[in-house]
Amino acid sequence: MGEQHAVVGIDIGGTNTVFGFVDRDGNILGEDSLSTTQYVEPEVFVAALYEKIMVTKAKRCPEVEILGFGIGAPMGNINKGTIEYPADLPWKGIIPLAALFNRYTSLPVVVTNDANAAAVGEMIYGGAKGMKNFVVITLGTGLGSGFVVDGKLVYGHDGFAGEIGHTVIRPGDSNRDCGCGRKGCLETYVSASGIKRTMLKILADKLDPSELRKVSFDELDSRKIYDAAKKGDKLALRAFERTGAMLGFKLADVVAHTNPEAIFLFGGLALAKELIFEPAREHMEKNLLSIYQGKVKLLPSELSAQNAAVLGASSLIWSNREM
Amino acid sequence: MGEQHAVVGIDIGGTNTVFGFVDRDGNILGEDSLSTTQYVEPEVFVAALYEKIMVTKAKRCPEVEILGFGIGAPMGNINKGTIEYPADLPWKGIIPLAALFNRYTSLPVVVTNDANAAAVGEMIYGGAKGMKNFVVITLGTGLGSGFVVDGKLVYGHDGFAGEIGHTVIRPGDSNRDCGCGRKGCLETYVSASGIKRTMLKILADKLDPSELRKVSFDELDSRKIYDAAKKGDKLALRAFERTGAMLGFKLADVVAHTNPEAIFLFGGLALAKELIFEPAREHMEKNLLSIYQGKVKLLPSELSAQNAAVLGASSLIWSNREM
């Protein structure tokens, strides 16, 4: 047996940053995390993160040779190795993430947004193995998207392809503020925070009883809506139905752009399975041009939720190497 | 000087089919056309077309060696060499166009939709030379789109990528029937026929005088609206403004999918220049996520309107050869 190689996959989230050492087959040889929010300066954050990675490596897999660092982060820009104006992170402006890493290492450092990382992960380790044209939609706090065309991730001219969370769903007809400064973006409806807002709206509009009437906005989350729906709560069911319908409507648009073989849903909301897939599938089909109907698969991600982000991030490096 | 080579570029339109012999540099060595509508059977159409191509070649450029046939047609499918359920052609169902051609020739025959052909034409002969990521929007009777990602045309899994003319612009809020059987598709607003419908709507809603009040629906066309607008007709100006605004709104969505360097407008409506570009640019920018703002060029096609379709179709063959 020769020397063992691994890539460091890093997922920078609004709350925590998780990293792991991933081998060529997608096994995680060791992982750990640190709080993102406690670092006011990105320089200090990267120093602490690099330190923690090295300490963890020494403890969990000292024999492994690291080949590079793959980083998924909101508004990550592959061309420049930067994070630009992230709405959900503690840092402002343009953060030269790869350059900060390169203070400590000369290994390759690749930065892209989390949904792009998830798409490459799905292609290398998940349900998109062998597929050439597909889309991954991540349903977390926001809605991210990653497009694969002809076997390659679409980055676009400025490195920012795949932000369909910020396409507007009801032009001139939505009061829902988006973190990006506009109104009515898809992610204000279709995401963990979006379904929560929709739930509140339904509780306001309807008179039916619901166990969620006892829950405050701050206490409410998509998990509680899911639990209520599973128990047959009519209004919680309606919240899923509406959310799925809006997603399905927009997926028909996605198909008309790049005509994928499949669309994978990933992240918290996707775990609600048929509660979200059924209305999404129905409304996607209903809105598809006839040449596309019945052809596009809507599937759950096959990456396990626990380590998908780290796998996806690591795959940014693996996908650049001969597999 | 060695033997001269050319590709036959063919543009199948709802009314006429135009073809030309195009050399490597985009020079048209000879061209002609025949009526599409007079052929009830696609077999007879192809027989007549092939015959006319050969006769024209013998007359105009007998010394040239033909390398292949590039065909742009509505609902053309690159994977199968077919036209599938075209709304605007006299034939129904799936027409095996390449196979019909192959009754007469063993040379390569490539079929794709007219907007895809225009996109490849723009890349090889037009304003997109050297660009890796761009979109071409054709504004004819309908609205077509062709996406280029990383230097290659996006065909999608089923060969039908780029049908944004059939994304819905105002979900649940449009009475405008589309030829595809749905309501409110982008092309029912943004196309030569779309602006005509918008003009009628404005004439119905407003009381202002307009020279177009004397023109029947059947007599009206985008050229007459353009002429009126150039003379300062307030309602005609408003029709361009609305059409451009809707286009701009949807272009912001396009950018959020594939983040192109530029978007080219091509075809009749694009010739209205700033009447359509100005509102389109304004509303695109207004609807763009901040990371894209001020970065995406909205440009007129640099292919001359006269022979662009033939050039585009021929480029399907040239782009597969070493240039």
Side-chain angles (χ1 to χ4, degrees):
Chain A
M1 205 179 131
E3 198 170 6
Q4 204 179 6
H5 294 119
V7 160
V8 186
I10 304 171
D11 178 53
I12 301 182
T15 313
N16 287 304
T17 293
V18 185
F19 63 86
F21 304 93
V22 184
D23 75 9
R24 186 173 288 250
D25 300 321
N27 302 307
I28 296 184
L29 312 173
E31 60 182 329
D32 206 342
S33 68
L34 81 172
S35 156
T36 310
T37 45
Q38 70 176 299
Y39 299 97
V40 181
E41 297 296 332
E43 290 80 3
V44 184
F45 166 74
V46 171
L49 175 58
Y50 191 80
E51 166 78 11
K52 191 149 195 181
I53 289 170
M54 289 304 126
V55 169
T56 308
K57 177 181 181 307
K59 265 196 277 184
R60 309 276 170 83
C61 47
E63 75 295 349
V64 154
E65 188 193 341
I66 292 178
L67 299 177
F69 298 78
I71 307 176
M75 300 296 176
N77 184 312
I78 188 98
N79 295 338
K80 303 190 226 156
T82 53
I83 301 178
E84 307 203 1
Y85 309 100
D88 305 324
L89 296 180
W91 318 306
K92 303 288 160 242
I94 298 176
I95 299 116
L97 199 64
L100 292 176
F101 261 84
N102 284 327
R103 292 184 180 176
Y104 306 102
T105 177
S106 57
L107 290 170
V109 179
V110 177
V111 182
T112 191
N113 79 50
D114 29 0
N116 283 347
V120 180
E122 201 70 45
M123 180 160 58
I124 295 193
Y125 307 119
K129 269 180 203 161
M131 286 188 186
K132 291 281 184 196
N133 296 280
F134 66 94
V135 178
V136 169
I137 310 273
T138 60
L139 300 168
T141 312
L143 184 151
S145 58
F147 287 73
V148 171
V149 163
D150 213 10
K152 283 166 68 183
L153 191 60
V154 179
Y155 287 115
H157 182 62
D158 299 302
F160 286 125
E163 285 292 345
I164 69 157
H166 296 282
T167 58
V168 175
I169 190 153
R170 287 179 162 177
D173 188 34
S174 172
N175 290 315
R176 213 170 269 196
D177 291 340
C178 184
C180 76
R182 299 179 302 165
K183 279 179 192 294
C185 287
L186 180 61
E187 74 170 31
T188 68
Y189 293 92
V190 184
S191 64
S193 57
I195 195 171
K196 178 172 151 174
R197 299 168 85 172
T198 299
M199 189 70 239
L200 266 277
K201 174 78 165 60
I202 292 172
L203 288 170
D205 286 346
K206 297 292 161 189
L207 292 169
D208 310 70
S210 164
E211 63 177 72
L212 298 174
R213 293 200 183 278
K214 290 190 174 32
V215 184
S216 75
F217 181 84
D218 280 351
E219 288 164 353
L220 189 63
D221 59 25
S222 59
R223 178 78 212 189
K224 288 200 174 78
I225 306 172
Y226 174 77
D227 290 341
K230 287 309 266 185
K231 283 188 263 171
D233 188 290
K234 192 176 145 192
L235 300 189
L237 284 165
R238 186 184 291 242
F240 272 102
E241 218 174 275
R242 277 205 200 159
T243 305
M246 284 186 161
L247 174 58
F249 171 74
K250 269 292 180 180
L251 293 183
D253 273 16
V254 166
V255 172
H257 281 76
T258 57
N259 186 12
E261 174 177 0
I263 298 172
F264 293 88
L265 301 185
F266 173 92
L269 261 193
L271 301 178
K273 299 215 178 88
E274 284 312 305
L275 281 178
I276 191 96
F277 276 87
E278 200 184 299
R281 206 174 277 123
E282 179 195 334
H283 286 262
M284 179 176 87
E285 285 296 333
K286 212 163 91 176
N287 285 287
L288 281 176
L289 191 61
S290 61
I291 49 170
Y292 303 124
Q293 277 169 7
K295 289 184 182 163
V296 183
K297 299 167 218 154
L298 186 58
L299 301 169
S301 167
E302 289 186 17
L303 298 180
S304 89
Q306 245 169 328
N307 48 28
V310 165
L311 283 180
S314 79
S315 63
L316 296 169
I317 298 287
W318 283 123
S319 67
N320 283 335
R321 300 178 67 93
E322 218 180 314
M323 291 298 280
Chain B
M1 202 181 132
E3 198 169 6
Q4 202 179 5
H5 294 118
V7 159
V8 186
I10 304 171
D11 177 54
I12 301 182
T15 312
N16 286 305
T17 293
V18 185
F19 63 88
F21 305 92
V22 184
D23 74 10
R24 188 172 287 249
D25 300 321
N27 301 308
I28 296 185
L29 312 173
E31 61 183 329
D32 206 342
S33 68
L34 82 171
S35 156
T36 311
T37 44
Q38 70 175 299
Y39 298 96
V40 182
E41 297 296 332
E43 291 81 3
V44 184
F45 166 74
V46 172
L49 175 58
Y50 192 82
E51 166 77 11
K52 189 147 194 181
I53 289 170
M54 288 305 127
V55 170
T56 308
K57 178 182 181 307
K59 265 196 277 182
R60 308 277 171 82
C61 46
E63 76 293 350
V64 155
E65 188 193 343
I66 292 177
L67 299 176
F69 298 78
I71 308 176
M75 299 297 174
N77 185 311
I78 188 98
N79 296 338
K80 302 191 225 156
T82 54
I83 300 178
E84 308 204 359
Y85 308 100
D88 303 324
L89 296 180
W91 318 306
K92 302 286 159 243
I94 297 176
I95 299 115
L97 198 64
L100 292 176
F101 260 85
N102 284 328
R103 290 182 181 177
Y104 306 103
T105 176
S106 57
L107 290 171
V109 179
V110 177
V111 181
T112 192
N113 79 49
D114 28 359
N116 284 346
V120 180
E122 201 70 45
M123 182 161 55
I124 296 194
Y125 307 118
K129 268 182 205 160
M131 286 190 188
K132 291 281 182 192
N133 295 280
F134 67 93
V135 178
V136 169
I137 310 273
T138 61
L139 300 168
T141 312
L143 183 151
S145 57
F147 286 73
V148 171
V149 164
D150 213 12
K152 283 166 66 182
L153 191 61
V154 178
Y155 287 115
H157 182 62
D158 299 301
F160 286 126
E163 285 292 346
I164 69 158
H166 297 282
T167 57
V168 175
I169 190 153
R170 287 181 164 174
D173 189 36
S174 171
N175 290 315
R176 213 170 269 194
D177 292 340
C178 185
C180 76
R182 298 180 303 165
K183 279 180 193 295
C185 288
L186 180 60
E187 75 169 32
T188 68
Y189 292 92
V190 184
S191 63
S193 58
I195 195 172
K196 177 172 152 174
R197 298 168 86 172
T198 299
M199 191 67 238
L200 266 278
K201 174 78 167 56
I202 292 171
L203 289 170
D205 286 344
K206 297 293 163 189
L207 292 169
D208 309 69
S210 164
E211 63 175 75
L212 298 174
R213 293 199 183 278
K214 291 190 173 37
V215 184
S216 74
F217 181 85
D218 280 351
E219 288 164 352
L220 188 63
D221 59 26
S222 58
R223 178 78 213 187
K224 288 200 174 78
I225 305 172
Y226 173 78
D227 289 341
K230 287 308 265 185
K231 283 186 265 170
D233 187 292
K234 191 177 146 193
L235 301 189
L237 284 165
R238 184 183 293 241
F240 271 101
E241 218 175 274
R242 279 206 198 159
T243 304
M246 285 187 159
L247 174 59
F249 171 75
K250 270 292 179 182
L251 293 183
D253 273 16
V254 166
V255 172
H257 281 76
T258 56
N259 185 12
E261 173 177 1
I263 298 173
F264 293 87
L265 302 185
F266 173 92
L269 261 195
L271 301 179
K273 300 217 178 85
E274 284 311 305
L275 281 179
I276 192 94
F277 275 86
E278 199 184 300
R281 205 173 279 122
E282 179 195 333
H283 286 262
M284 178 177 88
E285 285 296 331
K286 212 163 91 178
N287 284 288
L288 281 177
L289 190 60
S290 60
I291 50 170
Y292 303 124
Q293 278 168 8
K295 291 183 180 164
V296 183
K297 298 167 217 154
L298 186 58
L299 301 170
S301 167
E302 289 186 17
L303 298 179
S304 89
Q306 243 169 328
N307 48 27
V310 165
L311 282 181
S314 79
S315 63
L316 296 168
I317 298 287
W318 283 122
S319 67
N320 283 334
R321 302 178 67 94
E322 222 180 310
M323 290 299 281

